[in-house]
Amino acid sequence: MCGICCILGPKEKIEQHDKNLVLESHISHRGPDASNWTSFSVSEEISATLYGFVLHLRGQLTMQPLTDQNGNILLWNGEIFDGLPELQEDDNDTEALLTALSHCHTDEEILSVLSHLQGPWAFIYWQVERKQLWFGRDVLGRRSLLWHLPESLEDFFILSSIKAGSHKYTEIPAVGIFRMKFENLNLKTLPYQLILHPWKEAVWPMTGENLDDVLQSNPNIISGLHPEILEISSPTTNTFLPSICKDMPSSNYEHPPTDKLDVSYLDFLLKSDLGLQTEAEKLIDFLGQSVNTRILNQIPNSLLSSKNLSFNTLSKYNISYKTCSSGDVMEPFSNLHCGTDSVSQLHSIEESNPDHLVVSEESLPLQENNSCDSEHISSETKVIDLHKPTIYLGDANVAILFSGGLDAAVIAALADRYVDPEKSIDLLNVAFASPGSEQQQQQKKKKKDKRNNGLGDDHTTSADKNPFLVPDRLTGYTALEELNPRRKWNFIEINVTKDELQEIRQKRVSHLLYPLCSVLDDSIGCAIWFASRGLGILGNGPNKGKLFYSRAKVILCGMGADELFAGYSRHRSSFSKDGWQGLIQELQTEVNRISARNLGRDDRVISDHGREARFPYLDEKFINFVAEIPAYKKVDLTLLRGIGEKLLLRLCSFKLGFTKTAVQPKRAIQFGSRIAKLENSKEKASDVCTRLKPSS
């Protein structure tokens, strides 16, 4: 994961341009391990400056922008998991890709290299030989890249992972590879021309319609660009958007009905239908390969220097540290318990005395009780003030956004197969306090004190004591109980108050969500930002209740499962209205528009913590495999909610050892975490969110 930015404009303007425009955008948070910039002349009138901020995950640490001996320059924000034969296991993929592109002398050669890459990516490439600027995003849109299109000859053309400065931006549509040329132009309005090389059989992601048809009916649909400025050229030679299998079930094919949400029904289906059992086994294998790929392609924390680990992130909260022995570092937070708002307490400690915070770096082997233990703390521990409370720093290389839902639970079970058994895995579970919960809890306590003759808290329920026991917290613990008990799982309770939500939204999240601005984007974006920060209360093991920080640079996310396995209510509507044909068409539309499903937003939010989002369900090989399975083997929407949708994935989860989780109905993160309607119960998801004030 990296932060990349290109600013292109008139020479006399760009030479005076303040580099703080980039630095103040917080783009450096995306790449805490290295940064650099370079400027060059594009033509007699135009110069460009490229900025790169690197999150080091593979091979040797490589500065960006990366320049070869001929002057070609690459900014790369992505992972190449396949499709580049030159890339070896220990290679840095930025270096390998620049080498491959440097050997290309024609447009067709460059397009061939880029269109075969498998993995999430966004890139900017200056081809010095032909004075052309190439850029784009992968066909699934898994990495963010925004553009600001100049409104005059004096304005800048900007490409950036996140908004930089006060300019207006839009997301670059993931419809192909863009090329900008500066020579042999007949244009009077702008000193460059854009050429789009669409993906083979490209569709417009907003609607799923054929791109050629959309451009014919609306030539300016791509960010309002006039055909004189944006030329549509030859398509790429390859694409990874599959066609959904259109096979229909036989007239007598049906599953026996059930009126009970019971896992025994899944057991029955597997035993009575060998075809389903085979498909489930194959699916586990394909998805397992995807998870394994996303786990293996990174450098373990143990091989990185401490300055590039968690302390880089903790410093963003004004926490300094020093090195000393570990003798006195195990001071617990006496006033913290499961469900306490850890972040607010951390802030209060900083404000009162920012030097009085202890940071303990774990180096912990596998424990049967899945928890930290003081005797396994490393002999060299990073601390602040030996007499104050401890923040435990996890040793996991991998974290999972973990609501306890079906999609995340399956990923966790498969990660357990491939992560070193001596290593821990962090489970990130976010919860927001219900509106007015503090006042409500006080009122409840007074009433119960009266009823219980002053006994008070001894007779309150756990829900009364803890306003963060939201649905996702409860299902998270349920799923944790069904995971491998021999693995060291760190279940991190990330508890957020309304005050902290409002503060962080204005300081950080609104800037990252831009250009999106709906209530839904606000709810999901804020929930993911807090979850991926990885700072909360350890919820399991002997050190339950301690403040804990995940150092994992890779976060596995379950996005994409609902689109592939018919997990949304709209799929039931399509099936109810038009049967299997309607459902198959809806599934095809889902695949076609997946790049418009806000993966760029999720990338911007998660990367703000110097972490990388990886999506096992959106692996190219896995998507193509799932697309080839007939719809009636993946789903049966005649069955109960909690069984019928994502049926094949539920069968997989049962085979992986889940019982309660296997029949858990879908619940979106904004509802499960209780962030939805936290501040305004009357607003709709599609409304413009008035709380997202434009960032400057």
Side-chain angles (χ1 to χ4, degrees):
M1 175 62 58
C2 299
I4 60 177
C5 182
C6 167
I7 301 177
L8 183 147
K11 279 188 176 181
E12 67 277 7
K13 287 268 187 178
I14 207 163
E15 289 175 358
Q16 304 168 1
H17 201 269
D18 188 358
K19 294 181 177 61
N20 287 334
L21 176 140
V22 175
L23 300 178
E24 291 175 358
S25 71
H26 303 305
I27 193 173
S28 60
H29 295 172
R30 298 175 60 92
D33 297 324
S35 62
N36 203 358
W37 62 275
T38 187
S39 295
F40 57 91
S41 177
V42 172
S43 66
E44 292 183 1
E45 302 87 12
I46 300 174
S47 291
T49 302
L50 304 183
Y51 300 85
F53 302 87
V54 178
L55 175 66
H56 182 208
L57 286 171
R58 301 174 67 181
Q60 294 295 316
L61 177 60
T62 301
M63 284 284 192
Q64 291 199 46
L66 184 62
T67 305
D68 69 9
Q69 59 185 4
N70 298 317
N72 299 303
I73 307 173
L74 177 64
L75 284 171
W76 174 251
N77 170 30
E79 299 291 346
I80 301 175
F81 294 136
D82 205 348
L84 190 65
E86 300 90 339
L87 184 63
Q88 302 300 310
E89 183 177 351
D90 296 327
D91 288 347
N92 180 280
D93 52 1
T94 306
E95 290 182 332
L97 179 59
L98 180 57
T99 299
L101 292 174
S102 298
H103 288 116
C104 298
H105 301 287
T106 66
D107 296 343
E108 290 73 22
E109 289 175 334
I110 289 180
L111 292 170
S112 179
V113 169
L114 294 170
S115 65
H116 284 84
L117 300 179
Q118 295 186 40
W121 51 264
F123 82 104
I124 302 169
Y125 174 61
W126 171 245
Q127 185 187 21
V128 67
E129 178 185 6
R130 303 181 65 199
K131 288 191 175 296
Q132 296 189 128
L133 187 73
W134 297 77
F135 58 94
R137 304 165 66 197
D138 73 81
V139 70
L140 300 177
R142 290 165 290 185
R143 291 292 177 262
S144 173
L145 191 61
L146 311 180
W147 60 8
H148 165 71
L149 300 170
E151 299 175 355
S152 70
L153 287 172
E154 301 301 311
D155 198 1
F156 297 102
F157 174 86
I158 304 176
L159 302 168
S160 184
S161 299
I162 64 173
K163 180 179 180 179
S166 59
H167 302 283
K168 295 180 180 179
Y169 291 81
T170 55
E171 290 186 320
I172 297 176
V175 293
I177 303 297
F178 291 87
R179 172 168 58 96
M180 181 181 282
K181 65 179 183 179
F182 303 89
E183 297 182 338
N184 302 319
L185 302 179
N186 296 316
L187 300 177
K188 298 179 181 179
T189 54
L190 290 174
Y192 63 80
Q193 183 170 25
L194 280 171
I195 298 95
L196 168 63
H197 296 274
W199 298 121
K200 183 180 179 182
E201 301 175 357
V203 297
W204 183 240
M206 305 301 177
T207 62
E209 299 174 80
N210 181 275
L211 183 61
D212 290 336
D213 296 338
V214 171
L215 289 171
Q216 285 183 9
S217 61
N218 187 355
N220 301 340
I221 196 170
I222 299 180
S223 298
L225 288 170
H226 191 274
E228 185 184 50
I229 303 298
L230 179 63
E231 173 188 324
I232 308 301
S233 188
S234 56
T236 64
T237 57
N238 191 43
T239 185
F240 292 103
L241 284 181
S243 296
I244 298 295
C245 177
K246 295 179 173 57
D247 291 355
M248 304 290 286
S250 61
S251 57
N252 61 349
Y253 183 88
E254 64 177 3
H255 298 123
T258 179
D259 58 357
K260 293 182 179 180
L261 197 61
D262 195 305
V263 74
S264 61
Y265 185 79
L266 299 180
D267 187 29
F268 163 76
L269 288 182
L270 287 171
K271 291 178 179 177
S272 61
D273 191 331
L274 294 180
L276 274 179
Q277 186 172 152
T278 299
E279 292 292 356
E281 291 170 351
K282 289 164 60 178
L283 186 67
I284 289 173
D285 182 55
F286 267 86
L287 186 56
Q289 293 176 37
S290 174
V291 170
N292 189 32
T293 296
R294 282 150 182 80
I295 287 171
L296 291 181
N297 283 282
Q298 62 169 312
I299 295 175
N301 285 340
S302 59
L303 299 183
L304 297 171
S305 63
S306 62
K307 70 177 181 179
N308 290 330
L309 290 172
S310 53
F311 302 102
N312 223 13
T313 300
L314 289 174
S315 65
K316 288 188 287 187
Y317 304 101
N318 299 318
I319 303 174
S320 58
Y321 65 93
K322 59 186 178 181
T323 303
C324 71
S325 65
S326 62
D328 300 315
V329 303
M330 294 304 295
E331 295 279 340
F333 269 114
S334 59
N335 60 335
L336 289 184
H337 56 83
C338 181
T340 301
D341 175 23
S342 60
V343 177
S344 293
Q345 294 207 29
L346 173 59
H347 286 170
S348 66
I349 291 170
E350 293 175 50
E351 291 169 2
S352 61
N353 192 340
D355 292 330
H356 286 187
L357 190 63
V358 181
V359 180
S360 169
E361 182 174 3
E362 290 183 310
S363 178
L364 305 179
L366 175 68
Q367 297 295 306
E368 291 292 330
N369 56 16
N370 289 345
S371 63
C372 314
D373 191 278
S374 59
E375 68 184 30
H376 296 292
I377 298 296
S378 170
S379 59
E380 289 192 358
T381 306
K382 309 294 185 288
V383 306
I384 304 166
D385 195 302
L386 297 178
H387 306 292
K388 294 295 176 179
T390 304
I391 294 180
Y392 289 82
L393 300 182
D395 68 341
N397 294 321
V398 175
I400 301 170
L401 290 185
F402 195 75
S403 66
L406 175 69
D407 311 336
V410 169
I411 289 176
L414 292 174
D416 176 57
R417 292 186 171 189
Y418 299 106
V419 171
D420 183 337
E422 298 296 317
K423 298 291 288 184
S424 61
I425 298 176
D426 293 340
L427 305 176
L428 310 177
N429 184 279
V430 67
F432 294 79
S434 300
S437 59
E438 294 178 7
Q439 294 86 345
Q440 291 171 8
Q441 297 309 315
Q442 292 175 1
Q443 292 173 2
K444 286 182 179 180
K445 183 179 183 299
K446 289 180 180 179
K447 290 179 180 179
K448 292 191 177 185
D449 281 348
K450 286 184 178 180
R451 287 200 307 267
N452 299 319
N453 295 318
L455 293 177
D457 286 347
D458 291 338
H459 288 259
T460 57
T461 65
S462 58
D464 290 331
K465 294 180 180 179
N466 188 351
F468 298 103
L469 282 180
V470 301
D472 278 1
R473 181 62 47 80
L474 299 175
T475 54
Y477 276 116
T478 297
L480 175 63
E481 292 174 357
E482 298 186 305
L483 288 169
N484 177 11
R486 294 180 298 278
R487 165 72 62 184
K488 181 176 170 295
W489 305 96
N490 295 319
F491 188 95
I492 307 174
E493 295 187 356
I494 297 158
N495 301 325
V496 187
T497 63
K498 181 178 176 180
D499 288 344
E500 188 185 8
L501 168 63
Q502 293 174 339
E503 177 187 357
I504 293 296
R505 176 193 285 119
Q506 291 308 315
K507 286 184 177 179
R508 303 284 282 278
V509 182
S510 61
H511 184 93
L512 301 167
L513 294 181
Y514 181 87
L516 303 180
C517 58
S518 73
V519 169
L520 183 64
D521 292 314
D522 174 58
S523 295
I524 297 177
C526 288
I528 293 177
W529 189 92
F530 280 103
S532 57
R533 182 167 63 175
L535 178 64
I537 300 295
L538 192 61
N540 61 322
N543 285 317
K544 173 180 175 180
K546 303 291 179 62
L547 196 56
F548 190 93
Y549 178 73
S550 171
R551 291 189 298 172
K553 283 191 171 186
V554 169
I555 298 182
L556 302 182
C557 308
M559 290 74 164
D562 289 308
E563 286 81 0
L564 295 177
F565 295 97
Y568 293 117
S569 58
R570 60 178 173 266
H571 297 125
R572 283 192 178 272
S573 299
S574 297
F575 183 78
S576 298
K577 182 180 178 182
D578 298 312
W580 287 108
Q581 288 185 339
L583 177 61
I584 290 170
Q585 180 56 49
E586 185 66 30
L587 289 173
Q588 185 65 64
T589 302
E590 294 284 9
V591 171
N592 291 347
R593 68 185 178 199
I594 206 162
S595 67
R597 294 289 295 158
N598 299 324
L599 294 170
R601 173 200 65 198
D602 300 338
D603 168 67
R604 292 192 295 276
V605 168
I606 293 174
S607 300
D608 190 52
H609 303 292
R611 308 185 198 271
E612 179 171 279
R614 294 184 178 179
F615 309 102
Y617 291 107
L618 296 178
D619 176 85
E620 288 85 350
K621 294 186 181 72
F622 182 72
I623 289 176
N624 278 275
F625 166 72
V626 173
E628 293 173 357
I629 302 174
Y632 63 87
K633 292 186 178 181
K634 293 183 285 192
V635 59
D636 185 350
L637 298 180
T638 66
L639 298 175
L640 291 173
R641 181 173 176 269
I643 292 182
E645 76 280 8
K646 299 194 282 193
L647 175 61
L648 186 57
L649 194 60
R650 295 183 186 281
L651 294 172
C652 292
S653 70
F654 177 70
K655 290 182 70 67
L656 290 169
F658 295 101
T659 54
K660 297 177 182 178
T661 304
V663 291
Q664 178 69 38
K666 173 181 171 56
R667 184 174 51 240
I669 187 173
Q670 64 269 32
F671 300 116
S673 68
R674 286 292 191 259
I675 189 176
K677 303 185 184 299
L678 179 64
E679 296 158 292
N680 184 348
S681 61
K682 296 181 179 180
E683 60 191 2
K684 298 178 181 179
S686 58
D687 290 346
V688 172
C689 183
T690 58
R691 298 179 294 279
L692 294 174
K693 296 179 181 179
S695 301
S696 59

